[in-house]
Amino acid sequence: QVQLVESGGGSVQAGGSLRLSCAASGATSSGYCMAWFRQAPGKEREKVAAIGPPVSPAYADFAKGRFTLSQNNAQDSLYLQMNTLKPDDTAMYYCAVSTTHSTYCLSSGRYNYWGQGTQVTVSS
């Protein structure tokens, strides 16, 4: 079992920044996919960014140039630096971890553990 604890969400004005954190404990996820997804009210869950070492992070188009994904050296924590936030970024953000897959990490089907989510609200 893997436990995921997310933090860092909040309310900001458009143009602001937030840094989301996800700490994984329990069964190892080192070397496997880790990612952030998000879901806005009334919309389907969508990918934000993912990493499957040693490959560089991959981003959804809306995240490129504004969001930066990183991990700690132990690969048990995941961070998402979000800059130049827009009202359309308002959503619940979920951390996801795989203990079985290390490729095609932007696919939600790769993940067998999900966090509870952290809310991001961006006002105009």
Side-chain angles (χ1 to χ4, degrees):
Q1 291 287 332
V2 175
Q3 292 78 44
L4 299 175
V5 177
E6 299 136 322
S7 61
S11 297
V12 295
Q13 290 190 328
S17 298
L18 285 172
R19 178 178 167 87
L20 305 184
S21 298
C22 173
S25 60
T28 182
S29 60
S30 177
Y32 294 105
C33 293
M34 295 185 75
W36 288 96
F37 291 81
R38 72 184 188 182
Q39 187 167 19
K43 296 186 177 180
E44 294 187 353
R45 183 176 58 195
E46 62 179 350
K47 60 192 178 189
V48 178
I51 188 167
V55 178
S56 297
Y59 298 90
D61 286 345
F62 66 80
K64 292 177 181 177
R66 298 191 299 128
F67 295 1
T68 302
L69 188 68
S70 61
Q71 283 184 309
N72 65 342
N73 288 338
Q75 298 177 10
D76 59 7
S77 290
L78 188 68
Y79 308 99
L80 184 68
Q81 177 67 42
M82 304 187 295
N83 298 327
T84 319
L85 284 161
K86 305 174 181 180
D88 284 349
D89 295 318
T90 296
M92 186 71 79
Y93 284 70
Y94 296 94
C95 177
V97 162
S98 175
T99 57
T100 55
H101 293 90
S102 59
T103 57
Y104 301 104
C105 294
L106 279 176
S107 172
S108 62
R110 314 303 274 180
Y111 297 92
N112 49 345
Y113 292 99
W114 294 80
Q116 293 298 308
T118 184
Q119 178 68 39
V120 171
T121 302
V122 184
S123 59
S124 59

